[in-house]
Amino acid sequence: MQKIRVGIVGYGNIGRGVEAAISAAEDMELVAVFTRRDPKSVTTRSGAKLVHMDEIASYRGAVDVMVLCGGSATDLPVQGPQIAALFNTVDSFDTHAKIPEYLQSVDAAARQAGTLSIVSVGWDPGLFSIMRAIGGSVLPDGNDYTFWGRGVSQGHSDAIRRVEGVKNAIQYTVPIEQACERVRAGENPALTTRQKHVRECYVVAQEGADRARIEHDIVTMPNYFADYDTTVHFITEQELHEKHSRMPHGGFVFRTGKTGFTGEENRHVIEYALKLDSNPEFTGSILAAYARAAVRLSREGVSGGKTVFDIPLTALSPLGRDELIKNLL
Amino acid sequence: MQKIRVGIVGYGNIGRGVEAAISAAEDMELVAVFTRRDPKSVTTRSGAKLVHMDEIASYRGAVDVMVLCGGSATDLPVQGPQIAALFNTVDSFDTHAKIPEYLQSVDAAARQAGTLSIVSVGWDPGLFSIMRAIGGSVLPDGNDYTFWGRGVSQGHSDAIRRVEGVKNAIQYTVPIEQACERVRAGENPALTTRQKHVRECYVVAQEGADRARIEHDIVTMPNYFADYDTTVHFITEQELHEKHSRMPHGGFVFRTGKTGFTGEENRHVIEYALKLDSNPEFTGSILAAYARAAVRLSREGVSGGKTVFDIPLTALSPLGRDELIKNLL
């Protein structure tokens, strides 16, 4: 069997996570990593070839699917449709509010090129989205709850780094255990943003900076921190490096709901929980699985922009359909 | 919008669960319940019409999908292919070892008739199967663990009721707590079937029946009991009714695995947990959701025998694709 030939676009944390996943997959091989940096300035962990982004088009016919590992803020809105015009693609675009617009632009490019692109693949958006869709389908009379953490939020860490006087920072999103327990017990509580998570910030201040003002700027920051109970801890660059350089994460999706005729209802709780030692490696593994699905469906003639909601599990699994049915159904 | 017109075949616990789910679904209506009993001897909870099974063929064109609610031991192997030759169908065939054979017979009938049948829908097989498939796809280097209960298994209770000399019976599947804890602790233990669950049977024997033979027939029954430590308690019909008439259930699916290059591995735990006050109503709700999917896909021209692995979430959800993407991705 010919292996699925994969390219990785962007060699940050997620790109390295995809590289590890492809290296471990028996049915896939990594053809090259594409970067905007000088390829000679970077070495890949697996020894895979590094190629400058400008040469990506010359890999048509040699790569079955490109896994796009750039950021959602500025990279993917440009790269997504551009590369979808050349290759099947998978990406982890994660700005929830802008997904429909992004999907539309990728879909247009992919349809015209006859390629297949799966956008917003990861664990949220991604696996958590799948759980919300299943939960809402089987318990239509109910409530969704999503909790994240304890884990590092890159967006919130970046927001702190933009505060004047901040040299470096890491932000942990932490679910409030009491709130999770109320949901788990089937109480169906109405929870405000503040009642679901707290935010813990570890901040390296620049020398001579006004720490009280930095703390105030962080905890009152609209959208990011103002709606949460936020704690700010000032630490040294060395402590940040030693204690906060790992990237664990996790979270929970709940669907609680009731069934039965009025007056005779029965209650049900569905819980999906992730405990991850490495957020980028887990995300990379999900991207690798959906890269497989993209190639399989593309070979069946499917094209256009897709999401995890469109992809049957027969396309995702390394097992064939018969094996899936025999062993896992 | 024309509602999806549903028929229910068999009016036991699952049939009543499907009835409740259809009654609560805005996009579906229950046309009739089909029974082998005298229709005049039964009243439906919703007031839906009861029709004798012999008349089912006359409902072609009036029912979009039949939800088959018979037992897996003797009903479905006959009814599944017969009714798939006339209608789109959904069923909860749950004898895991015989699913490929059953699927094949339903697939043959459905292909010839141009209908669509989704077999083995429920929470296990069903939602739990989906979780095993996702877990194995995103963490290929890992282990699956499925635990059930404590709860009543309809399939196992039915199997006991078919034993000669048994008047009535209820079977509880009980996870062995020690095994659960080892999995939770990340030990990745190798567990045999017998080390994970015990089966508790509460049996009402017919007067004069040979209890020792009944017990032997139960504990040695292939697929259902032979691989477990099974206890059989003989009780009265009154005690069964008083103490064992509720039908809670639950369970969880774990996927534990690692990612990363050798020597740098990171560990991850995925857990999917269900706590159900009513197993048949929850199963009925899942069947109703897949009945919707069967009709939608049939209208797109898809036919043949399918499983939950083949069905994208866009077909399952009461929400349209755009709404799903906007609200849940």
Side-chain angles (χ1 to χ4, degrees):
Chain A
M1 189 190 65
Q2 210 207 326
K3 291 189 177 189
I4 292 171
R5 301 166 300 171
V6 183
I8 292 173
V9 179
Y11 199 54
N13 290 323
I14 301 283
R16 289 179 173 84
V18 174
E19 181 187 25
I22 302 297
S23 300
E26 288 177 8
D27 60 341
M28 310 179 99
E29 63 178 325
L30 179 54
V31 173
V33 175
F34 298 86
T35 177
R36 283 173 306 200
R37 291 179 276 181
D38 174 4
K40 292 195 179 61
S41 71
V42 194
T43 314
T44 62
R45 175 64 185 76
S46 64
K49 184 164 58 171
L50 268 151
V51 177
H52 195 273
M53 274 290 285
D54 291 350
E55 296 174 39
I56 195 168
S58 70
Y59 280 77
R60 285 189 75 174
V63 166
D64 298 313
V65 58
M66 290 285 182
V67 184
L68 313 187
C69 302
S72 301
T74 57
D75 297 333
L76 290 175
V78 177
Q79 288 179 353
Q82 271 178 0
I83 301 176
L86 300 166
F87 299 92
N88 299 316
T89 69
V90 180
D91 68 58
S92 59
F93 185 86
D94 67 356
T95 310
H96 287 263
K98 293 186 177 173
I99 289 173
E101 178 192 337
Y102 176 68
L103 173 60
Q104 202 168 23
S105 76
V106 171
D107 181 58
R111 274 176 195 276
Q112 195 168 359
T115 57
L116 174 62
S117 292
I118 312 176
V119 308
S120 300
V121 168
W123 56 273
D124 197 359
L127 301 190
F128 275 16
S129 319
I130 290 173
M131 298 309 144
R132 289 187 284 261
I134 292 175
S137 299
V138 303
L139 290 178
D141 185 4
N143 295 302
D144 277 333
Y145 297 91
T146 303
F147 293 87
W148 299 273
R150 188 179 191 259
V152 173
S153 161
Q154 214 55 59
H156 287 78
S157 300
D158 287 347
I160 300 173
R161 290 187 197 112
R162 290 194 290 266
V163 170
E164 195 192 322
V166 170
K167 194 176 168 192
N168 206 344
I170 286 288
Q171 190 267 192
Y172 292 91
T173 306
V174 185
I176 297 174
E177 188 55 34
Q178 197 182 8
C180 291
E181 280 306 321
R182 290 183 63 196
V183 173
R184 200 172 279 131
E187 284 184 34
N188 276 315
L191 297 168
T192 64
T193 297
R194 192 177 301 273
Q195 287 171 322
K196 290 178 67 188
H197 299 89
V198 296
R199 298 198 175 277
E200 292 177 6
C201 311
Y202 294 85
V203 178
V204 183
Q206 284 167 1
E207 223 176 291
D210 180 348
R211 295 183 172 196
R213 198 260 310 144
I214 289 175
E215 179 169 348
H216 178 267
D217 284 1
I218 294 171
V219 303
T220 60
M221 194 186 297
N223 302 320
Y224 286 91
F225 295 101
D227 297 335
Y228 299 84
D229 288 338
T230 301
T231 55
V232 177
H233 308 273
F234 288 95
I235 60 174
T236 64
E237 184 86 53
Q238 190 186 344
E239 194 179 345
L240 190 82
H241 182 73
E242 286 173 4
K243 296 187 181 167
H244 302 286
S245 59
R246 293 189 64 228
M247 283 170 285
H249 217 315
F252 310 84
V253 174
F254 290 93
R255 180 73 179 184
T256 63
K258 51 182 197 271
T259 58
F261 289 97
T262 308
E264 305 163 17
E265 291 97 344
N266 285 292
R267 299 194 162 274
H268 313 282
V269 177
I270 306 175
E271 176 176 358
Y272 186 73
L274 296 178
K275 277 180 273 183
L276 314 174
D277 274 359
S278 166
N279 183 4
E281 280 185 10
F282 189 71
T283 300
S285 285
I286 302 169
L287 281 161
Y290 278 91
R292 169 188 298 118
V295 173
R296 286 186 181 169
L297 292 172
S298 173
R299 286 176 181 162
E300 290 175 15
V302 181
S303 66
K306 305 292 176 187
T307 71
V308 294
F309 298 139
D310 301 298
I311 309 301
L313 294 171
T314 44
L316 191 68
S317 172
L319 303 176
R321 181 173 183 262
D322 290 349
E323 256 186 297
L324 261 185
I325 289 169
K326 190 173 169 220
N327 300 326
L328 298 185
L329 191 60
Chain B
M1 189 190 67
Q2 210 207 324
K3 291 189 176 187
I4 292 171
R5 300 166 302 172
V6 183
I8 292 173
V9 179
Y11 198 56
N13 291 321
I14 300 283
R16 289 180 173 82
V18 174
E19 180 187 25
I22 301 297
S23 300
E26 288 177 9
D27 61 340
M28 311 179 97
E29 64 178 325
L30 178 55
V31 174
V33 175
F34 298 86
T35 177
R36 283 174 303 203
R37 292 178 275 181
D38 175 4
K40 290 193 179 62
S41 72
V42 193
T43 314
T44 62
R45 176 63 185 77
S46 64
K49 185 165 58 171
L50 269 149
V51 176
H52 195 273
M53 273 292 283
D54 291 349
E55 296 174 39
I56 195 167
S58 70
Y59 279 78
R60 285 189 77 174
V63 166
D64 298 313
V65 58
M66 290 287 181
V67 185
L68 313 186
C69 302
S72 301
T74 57
D75 296 333
L76 290 174
V78 177
Q79 288 180 353
Q82 271 179 359
I83 301 176
L86 298 167
F87 299 92
N88 298 315
T89 69
V90 180
D91 68 58
S92 59
F93 184 86
D94 67 356
T95 309
H96 288 261
K98 294 187 176 172
I99 289 173
E101 177 191 339
Y102 176 67
L103 173 60
Q104 201 168 24
S105 75
V106 171
D107 181 58
R111 273 177 196 274
Q112 194 168 0
T115 57
L116 174 62
S117 291
I118 312 176
V119 309
S120 300
V121 168
W123 57 273
D124 198 359
L127 301 190
F128 275 16
S129 319
I130 290 173
M131 298 308 142
R132 288 187 286 264
I134 292 175
S137 299
V138 303
L139 290 178
D141 186 4
N143 294 303
D144 277 332
Y145 297 94
T146 304
F147 291 88
W148 301 273
R150 185 177 193 261
V152 173
S153 162
Q154 295 302 318
H156 288 79
S157 299
D158 284 347
I160 300 172
R161 290 188 196 110
R162 291 174 210 284
V163 170
E164 195 192 324
V166 170
K167 192 176 167 193
N168 207 343
I170 286 288
Q171 191 268 187
Y172 293 91
T173 306
V174 185
I176 297 173
E177 190 57 32
Q178 199 182 7
C180 301
E181 285 307 317
R182 291 183 63 197
V183 174
R184 277 230 164 81
E187 283 184 34
N188 278 317
L191 297 168
T192 64
T193 296
R194 196 176 299 274
Q195 287 173 322
K196 292 175 66 187
H197 300 90
V198 296
R199 296 196 177 277
E200 292 176 6
C201 311
Y202 294 86
V203 178
V204 182
Q206 284 167 0
E207 223 177 291
D210 179 349
R211 293 183 173 196
R213 197 261 310 144
I214 289 174
E215 180 169 349
H216 178 265
D217 283 1
I218 294 170
V219 303
T220 60
M221 195 184 299
N223 300 324
Y224 286 91
F225 295 102
D227 298 333
Y228 300 84
D229 287 338
T230 301
T231 54
V232 177
H233 308 273
F234 288 96
I235 61 175
T236 65
E237 183 87 54
Q238 191 186 343
E239 194 180 344
L240 190 82
H241 182 73
E242 285 172 6
K243 296 187 182 167
H244 304 285
S245 61
R246 290 191 67 230
M247 283 169 286
H249 216 317
F252 44 94
V253 175
F254 276 102
R255 180 73 180 185
T256 61
K258 51 181 198 268
T259 58
F261 289 97
T262 307
E264 305 163 16
E265 290 98 342
N266 286 292
R267 300 196 161 270
H268 313 282
V269 178
I270 306 176
E271 179 177 2
Y272 186 74
L274 297 178
K275 276 180 273 179
L276 313 174
D277 273 1
S278 167
N279 183 5
E281 281 186 9
F282 189 71
T283 301
S285 285
I286 302 169
L287 282 162
Y290 279 91
R292 170 188 298 120
V295 173
R296 286 185 181 169
L297 292 172
S298 172
R299 286 176 181 164
E300 290 175 15
V302 181
S303 66
K306 304 292 176 187
T307 71
V308 294
F309 299 139
D310 302 299
I311 309 300
L313 294 172
T314 45
L316 191 67
S317 172
L319 302 177
R321 181 173 183 263
D322 290 348
E323 258 186 295
L324 260 184
I325 289 168
K326 191 174 170 222
N327 299 326
L328 299 185
L329 191 61

